[in-house]
Amino acid sequence: MTSGPYEVLLSALDPAARRESALPELDRAPDPWESSMQATCECLSWRGALDNLERRHAEDALGETIYQDFPVRSRSVVVTAHTLMERGVITPEELRARMDAVRERLHRQ
């Protein structure tokens, strides 16, 4: 499953990224994007689009297999995107276009 529609997510992994291995790396205050992601997940759950427990189970399963090389704190975003693509809510092309637009904005700053 490392190709096909989910390749857009796998291609987002920075080659310099590494999986956290020590407690100090894992036990830190969340970055602003992480807090926003958690709020988004809460809204998806509240509206019935993606149940929190189901998302957490997917994070456990996919985070230790397909997305194991991603830093722990970024797994919720890739697993959420994976699940939304799996359900047909967003296509890989739409996700890639959004990711490209965000990268473009970041490079302008």
Side-chain angles (χ1 to χ4, degrees):
M1 193 180 310
T2 57
S3 62
Y6 306 108
E7 186 61 35
V8 64
L9 295 171
L10 295 170
S11 70
L13 179 62
D14 183 342
R18 64 178 185 76
R19 186 175 179 170
E20 300 90 340
S21 59
L23 187 57
E25 296 171 320
L26 295 168
D27 191 25
R28 64 171 176 76
D31 291 333
W33 74 267
E34 295 167 327
S35 297
S36 295
M37 178 62 199
Q38 289 305 314
T40 299
C41 288
E42 290 298 325
C43 290
L44 288 169
S45 181
W46 177 63
R47 300 302 280 172
L50 180 59
D51 179 70
N52 274 330
L53 184 58
E54 182 181 352
R55 177 182 54 83
R56 288 184 185 119
H57 286 307
E59 282 182 36
D60 290 344
L62 296 172
E64 291 300 323
T65 55
I66 297 171
Y67 303 115
Q68 68 182 350
D69 293 332
F70 281 79
V72 171
R73 292 187 176 251
S74 65
R75 290 183 193 165
S76 62
V77 71
V78 293
V79 169
T80 299
H82 179 109
T83 304
L84 294 175
M85 283 193 300
E86 190 172 66
R87 293 180 178 191
V89 174
I90 188 168
T91 66
E93 295 77 21
E94 291 169 324
L95 180 58
R96 187 174 307 281
R98 293 283 189 157
M99 290 167 63
D100 290 345
V102 169
R103 284 186 183 110
E104 183 180 318
R105 267 187 273 150
L106 290 172
H107 290 297
R108 278 188 273 161
Q109 294 178 355

